């Protein structure tokens, strides 16, 4: 109480933080940690310990978030973490992984990346711009109406004709690259 905080300049944890493993220095480790957290909404640090679980870690390793799966446990909430690369799988005890995650209101196990949230808005904006550009390049024609006139005076197609036309409209005419391009129909369709 009342004592001034004092900076500790030499401690095994500081050494580990500045040189977490034999492949990374502290700066690169922290940069990658923050990048994973921002890009994926999750960052996982594996603590490599000697034989006993209570001993302090000897090394720290970042696990790629797209390769990590949280193993749910009804009693302890998190039963562990599974790390997979191709057919290789490794399971870590919950105490050997520090899971940092961003807030996600609708997910108990994984964080929500701000980049993922923005990505939806950016994708929608890009699609709209692509569509509008294609529409202008294709003479800016407005949407069209198809009017079917059957040979027997009927205004209805049979189910097979109707499904075929829907499929053509969706698959062969859709998309920004086809916006405003004239199409040719068979039969009594205007």
């Amino acid at each position: 109480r009342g004592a001034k905080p004092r900076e500790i300049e030499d401690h095994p944890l500081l050494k580990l933080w500045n040189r977490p493993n034999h492949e990374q220095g502290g700066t690169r480790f922290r940069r990658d940690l923050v990048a994973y957290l921002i890009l994926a909404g999750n960052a996982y640090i594996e603590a490599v310990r000697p034989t006993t679980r209570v001993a302090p870690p000897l090394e720290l390793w970042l696990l790629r978030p797209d390769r990590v799966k949280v193993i749910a446990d009804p009693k302890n909430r998190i039963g562990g973490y599974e790390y997979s690369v191709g057919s290789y799988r490794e399971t870590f005890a919950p105490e050997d992984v520090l899971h940092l995650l961003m807030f996600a209101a609708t997910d108990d196990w994984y964080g929500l990346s701000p980049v993922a949230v923005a990505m939806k808005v950016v994708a929608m904006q890009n699609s709209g711009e692509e569509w509008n550009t294609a529409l202008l390049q294709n003479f800016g024609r407005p949407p069209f109406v198809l009017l079917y006139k059957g040979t027997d005076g009927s205004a209805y197609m049979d189910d097979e004709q109707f499904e075929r036309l829907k499929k053509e409209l969706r698959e062969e005419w859709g998309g920004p690259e086809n916006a405003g391009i004239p199409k040719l129909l068979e039969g009594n369709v205007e």
Side-chain angles (χ1 to χ4, degrees):
R1 288 184 147 223
K4 289 184 179 180
R6 122 182 122 86
E7 184 176 348
I8 297 173
E9 296 180 12
D10 185 36
H11 191 277
L13 287 177
L14 281 173
K15 289 178 182 170
L16 183 64
W17 188 240
N18 289 321
R19 184 68 179 178
N21 59 64
H22 65 275
E23 290 182 8
Q24 291 179 307
T27 302
R28 183 173 158 214
F29 181 86
R30 289 185 291 279
R31 179 204 65 194
D32 293 355
L33 174 71
V34 170
Y36 283 147
L37 193 57
I38 291 171
L39 294 174
N42 298 279
Y44 303 89
I45 302 173
E46 175 200 0
V48 177
R49 302 175 194 276
T51 54
T52 62
R53 293 263 184 241
V54 292
L58 300 173
E59 293 183 326
L60 300 175
W61 289 89
L62 291 173
L63 303 174
R64 263 184 44 184
D66 59 318
R67 295 178 173 169
V68 178
K69 178 183 161 199
V70 175
I71 301 168
D73 181 304
K75 184 178 178 187
N76 299 319
R77 200 166 120 71
I78 295 177
Y81 297 88
E82 181 182 270
Y83 186 77
S84 59
V85 180
S87 61
Y88 171 78
R89 303 241 184 292
E90 186 172 350
T91 303
F92 297 103
E95 61 270 14
D96 289 336
V97 175
L98 174 62
H99 181 185
L100 304 171
L101 62 155
M102 300 199 114
F103 177 74
T106 58
D107 198 317
D108 294 331
W109 311 113
Y110 301 99
L112 180 61
S113 159
V115 173
V117 173
M119 187 172 61
K120 290 180 181 179
V121 174
V122 170
M124 188 170 65
Q125 178 91 20
N126 288 343
S127 293
E129 286 181 19
E130 193 177 327
W131 177 270
N132 288 334
T133 300
L135 188 61
L136 291 171
Q137 290 171 342
N138 295 329
F139 311 112
R141 291 196 180 94
F144 56 88
V145 173
L146 300 176
L147 179 61
Y148 175 75
K149 295 179 182 178
T151 52
D152 60 355
S154 166
Y156 297 100
M157 299 178 171
D158 64 36
D159 289 343
E160 185 180 325
Q161 291 171 314
F162 184 74
E163 290 303 319
R164 181 174 152 223
L165 182 57
K166 272 187 8 183
K167 182 179 179 195
E168 284 180 22
L169 287 172
R170 195 177 309 116
E171 295 176 8
E172 297 171 24
W173 295 16
E177 67 278 0
N178 292 318
I181 294 177
K183 303 297 180 197
L184 178 63
L185 296 172
E186 305 172 40
N188 292 328
V189 180
E190 292 182 12

